[in-house]
Amino acid sequence: METYGKILLIAMPIFLGLVLLEKWYGWAVKKHPFRTMDTLSSMSSGYTNIIKDVLGISISILTYGWMVEHLAIYKIESSVWAYVVAFIALDFSGYWVHRLSHEINFFWNKHAIHHSSEEFDLACALRQSISSFVNLFTIFLLPAALLGVDPQVIAVVAPLHLFAQFWYHTIYIGKMGILEHIIVTPSHHRVHHALNPEYLDKNHSQIFIIWDKLFGTFQEELPDVPPVYGITRPANTWNPIKINFQHLWLLIQDAYRTQSWRDKLRIWWMPTGWRPADVMEKYPVAKIEDPYHFQKYAPPASKKLLVWTWFQFLFTFALINYFFLNIAQIGSPLIFVYGGFIFLSVFAYTELMDRNPYAWMWEGAKNAIGLWLIYQTDWFGMSTSLPWVTFVLAGYFLASTLIVWMLSKPEIEKETDTHYQEESVLSH
C-alpha cells in the first residue's frame, strides 16, 4: 500500500504532464479542439482508480500466492528470467481478462469506464475501473504459478505492465512498421477503442499483439474506415463514479423487470449488450446506430466554470499527493476516511461539470465534511508540520460552497422554471 503510493507520487505528475503536452500539441500544431471536460473526466477517473488500488478495496477468490504454494511444479529463482516470465504471464492473463470483459455482460461493467470517452488520447488511458471488488481471474496467472514465480516478482512487474499500456492511447502516432507485428501500437489500440462495427471487440492484447493473432481477435486499422471512439450506449455524464456503475444498474433493472425467470438468471452471462426481449421493447435504451452521425456529449460550460473545474481538479491532486506522502502516518481506519473524501470531491465537481442543478448540494456536503475533518483530525495531522495549511483548507471549503452555488444558479433557475411550467400544465 505505502510502496504503491510512493510509486504513484512519481508517476502521477509524469502522466499529467504527458497528457497536457499531448493536448497542447493537438491544439497548437494539429489545430484540434481541446475538449477540456472530457480530459478532466478521464483524469478524475484516474484519481478514483488509484485511491481504490492503494487502499486495496478488493479481494481475490483464488490468490496467486495460494496457487504458487500448492500448484508449482518448478521454482524459478528471482533472476531476470523470473521477471521475463512474470511479464509474459501477466500479458497472457491480461488478454483473457480484457477479452472476457468485452464479451460477457456482467464483466463489461468493470471495463465500460475505460471506453466511455468519446476521444482517444493519453487522458483516456487513465479512465480505469473502481467497480470491481472481487477478482475472479487470478486463474489466468496459472502458467507463472506452475513455474513458481515468486508473488513478490508479480507484485513488482504488475504496475510496470500497467504503466506500459499508457503511451499507445493517442491519435498522433501512425503505423510503426515491423513493430505492428510484435507489440500493441497506437494503430492497434485505436481499433480497440472504436465503436465502428468493423472494429468492435477486436485487439484485446495489452503489450504483445501475438495473443490477438493467435486467438482470432486481431483487426488491422483500415485506411478507409476512420475509428470513431466511445461506447454504443453513451455514458452522457462526466461523472466517472456514475459511469462505473451505469451498466450494472441497467442489468439490475432488466433482471428485475423481465417476466422470464430464465432471462433473470442468464442476463449476467450473456454476450455484452444482450437484453431480454420484453424489457428491450418496453424500456428502450439510446444506442448509437451510425458511428459517423451522432452528437458527442458536451453540456455548455462558461469560462468561469472551466477555470473553477481546473482549480478543483488541481486542488484534489494536491490532496492526493499529501495522502500518498503520509499514508503510513495517517494509518487505518483514517486512510479509508481520506479516500472516501477524495471520492466525494470527484463526485461533487464532476456533477457541476454535468451542469447538475443539485451539484451545489454535493459540494456543500463535501465541504461540511471537510470542515469537520479539520476539527477532528487537524486534517489528518497536517497541522503538526504545516499549521497554516488547515486555515487555508477551511477557507477553501467555505469559499468553494459559495462559488459552486453561484455557478449552479442558472441550472437551479432552469430546474425551477421547468417545475413551475409542469405544475401550470397539470393545474389546467
Side-chain angles (χ1 to χ4, degrees):
M1 182 184 291
E2 187 179 359
T3 302
Y4 189 41
K6 289 179 178 177
I7 292 172
L8 288 169
L9 282 171
I10 300 170
M12 284 196 308
I14 294 173
F15 287 157
L16 176 59
L18 290 171
V19 166
L20 296 178
L21 180 62
E22 183 202 32
K23 284 299 177 184
W24 174 86
Y25 174 80
W27 174 76
V29 179
K30 295 294 186 179
K31 308 305 178 186
H32 292 161
F34 186 168
R35 297 189 71 219
T36 301
M37 293 307 198
D38 189 278
T39 301
L40 288 173
S41 177
S42 294
M43 293 192 291
S44 298
S45 177
Y47 284 172
T48 60
N49 173 258
I50 58 176
I51 292 293
K52 176 179 180 287
D53 284 354
V54 166
L55 293 178
I57 307 176
S58 62
I59 60 170
S60 290
I61 298 298
L62 177 66
T63 67
Y64 178 75
W66 185 93
M67 288 199 299
V68 171
E69 185 179 346
H70 293 88
L71 303 177
I73 57 177
Y74 183 76
K75 176 68 174 177
I76 294 183
E77 299 301 327
S78 292
S79 65
V80 65
W81 288 110
Y83 289 89
V84 170
V85 170
F87 195 89
I88 294 172
L90 279 165
D91 206 49
F92 173 78
S93 171
Y95 168 83
W96 283 107
V97 173
H98 196 178
R99 180 171 174 175
L100 290 175
S101 297
H102 276 259
E103 295 182 349
I104 297 177
N105 239 349
F106 178 67
F107 297 133
W108 173 244
N109 185 74
K110 83 183 193 74
H111 191 54
I113 178 71
H114 184 59
H115 285 261
S116 60
S117 174
E118 293 171 339
E119 303 297 314
F120 185 70
D121 50 27
L122 292 177
C124 169
L126 304 178
R127 286 195 180 226
Q128 298 293 333
S129 175
I130 59 168
S131 61
S132 179
F133 299 100
V134 180
N135 182 7
L136 301 173
F137 295 124
T138 313
I139 188 64
F140 289 125
L141 286 173
L142 182 61
L146 290 173
L147 293 173
V149 175
D150 192 282
Q152 282 298 111
V153 173
I154 295 290
V156 169
V157 173
L160 298 176
H161 184 266
L162 177 64
F163 295 162
Q165 298 169 48
F166 174 75
W167 74 276
Y168 53 60
H169 290 81
T170 183
I171 62 173
Y172 298 123
I173 300 176
K175 293 197 175 183
M176 302 180 69
I178 193 171
L179 291 178
E180 298 287 322
H181 304 287
I182 304 169
I183 63 171
V184 176
T185 65
S187 178
H188 295 148
H189 212 60
R190 286 193 289 270
V191 167
H192 180 71
H193 272 257
L195 52 81
N196 313 58
E198 297 90 340
Y199 295 152
L200 276 179
D201 300 327
K202 299 295 183 182
N203 297 359
H204 303 296
S205 295
Q206 297 183 324
I207 302 298
F208 300 115
I209 197 62
I210 183 65
W211 308 120
D212 283 295
K213 295 188 175 184
L214 191 62
F215 298 115
T217 51
F218 177 73
Q219 173 62 55
E220 186 178 5
E221 186 178 17
L222 304 172
D224 57 339
V225 184
V228 180
Y229 306 108
I231 50 181
T232 56
R233 294 174 185 163
N236 290 331
T237 176
W238 298 131
N239 188 324
I241 298 172
K242 285 183 174 179
I243 299 171
N244 265 280
F245 299 98
Q246 278 184 336
H247 184 68
L248 178 62
W249 178 235
L250 179 63
L251 291 180
I252 291 170
Q253 288 179 304
D254 284 356
Y256 175 76
R257 288 166 171 169
T258 184
Q259 299 301 306
S260 167
W261 279 98
R262 180 168 177 261
D263 287 348
K264 288 179 186 293
L265 296 175
R266 68 175 180 152
I267 186 174
W268 311 96
W269 314 109
M270 291 296 284
T272 299
W274 182 89
R275 304 179 70 204
D278 58 339
V279 172
M280 191 161 54
E281 182 179 349
K282 191 173 181 181
Y283 302 97
V285 174
K287 189 173 181 180
I288 296 172
E289 302 293 346
D290 181 355
Y292 303 106
H293 299 92
F294 73 95
Q295 188 68 42
K296 289 184 178 181
Y297 182 69
S302 65
K303 287 185 179 179
K304 290 179 181 178
L305 176 59
L306 289 173
V307 170
W308 178 248
T309 305
W310 271 110
F311 178 83
Q312 292 275 61
F313 171 80
L314 293 172
F315 195 90
T316 306
F317 183 80
L319 292 180
I320 292 172
N321 274 273
Y322 175 79
F323 181 42
F324 289 165
L325 275 168
N326 297 278
I327 195 166
Q329 290 80 3
I330 293 171
S332 185
L334 283 180
I335 55 172
F336 297 99
V337 176
Y338 202 123
F341 183 82
I342 298 297
F343 271 77
L344 182 56
S345 297
V346 170
F347 193 98
Y349 73 71
T350 53
E351 284 295 277
L352 182 62
M353 289 163 61
D354 277 337
R355 313 304 288 127
N356 184 339
Y358 301 105
W360 67 273
M361 297 176 65
W362 289 104
E363 186 69 19
K366 180 208 82 176
N367 293 328
I369 291 171
L371 290 169
W372 180 80
L373 287 172
I374 290 174
Y375 175 74
Q376 290 291 328
T377 70
D378 285 329
W379 197 257
F380 304 92
M382 186 179 283
S383 65
T384 304
S385 54
L386 299 168
W388 58 270
V389 175
T390 54
F391 292 101
V392 173
L393 279 171
Y396 158 74
F397 291 137
L398 292 170
S400 177
T401 305
L402 179 61
I403 291 169
V404 172
W405 165 256
M406 297 299 294
L407 289 171
S408 297
K409 274 188 73 176
E411 304 305 317
I412 296 168
E413 289 167 359
K414 191 187 300 181
E415 179 85 355
T416 304
D417 289 345
T418 301
H419 180 72
Y420 177 76
Q421 289 169 9
E422 289 174 350
E423 288 283 325
S424 298
V425 170
L426 288 174
S427 64
H428 285 84

